[in-house]
Amino acid sequence: MAADKAHGTQSVGVDIPWDAVLDWGLALASSGLILSGVFFVLAGALGVLRMPDFFTRMHAAGMTDTLGAEFILFGLILQTGFSQMTLKLLLVAFFLFLTSPTATHAIANAALKSGLKPQLGTYKAPDLSQIEGSSNEADSDKAGGH
Amino acid sequence: MTDGFLLKVYVAATILLMVGMALILVRLIAGPTLYDRALAVNSFGTKIVLFLCMFSLIIGRADGVDIAILYALMNFIATVAILKFFRYRALSEPMAPLPASAKFDALRERRRNERSR
């Protein structure tokens, strides 16, 4: 970094603050990772809330929780530098990476063994116009939903 | 310099995580089957782990991450224990029934005979 700075001052004549550039790069990278992880977690939560069937809900929760948790934890790891906290966060990421799909698989296996059948065939979305009132009525009539 | 920006990002991400936790909580209360509830508990626990890590970075102390490690392990064990309990109505039964093949039955018969001799 010092060599780069010296080189930069010699050739270009502009003193680039490399520390600040590095800090902001790290901050932007970690905030991007954290926010994308939060996006995945929120999408999974919405899927768990809105999906029609247990197995589809399980799919939404299982996939997105693993990826979102890894994104968030690696985003935090970028900010802790080389410290004890980094090791602990790596341990959390490792445990979640192992246990989250295993737990999802265990739940799916238990549900299937207990005789819960997945819904097959085409899915018809619930009619929102009955819930929200007359705001969506024209759209649902066009789609032939009601 | 970047601390204020990062703090804003952390707080925003924590609030969004709490929104996700509320959505999962709705499914946990409204879930029609037991397995929906088990799934919601597992997913809620994962979000609690993330929340603890984020919170301990916000307040700048490493204690929360220890609790997060513990919670990640406990969450998995609790999920498996719940599933096992509601399948066998006990925690001490074997996870899978013994293999019921003819070869295995013969082996068990032979061992029983050896023991009785």
Side-chain angles (χ1 to χ4, degrees), chain A residues 123-129 136-146:
Chain A
Y123 169 64
K124 187 171 176 298
D127 203 351
L128 284 181
S129 64
N136 279 342
E137 209 162 352
D139 295 338
S140 68
D141 280 346
K142 262 179 213 166
H146 192 54

Side-chain angles (χ1 to χ4, degrees), chain B residues 80-82 84-86 88-94:
Chain B
V80 175
I82 287 170
K84 198 170 172 180
F85 178 74
F86 279 101
Y88 295 108
R89 297 285 155 182
L91 289 176
S92 60
E93 291 287 315

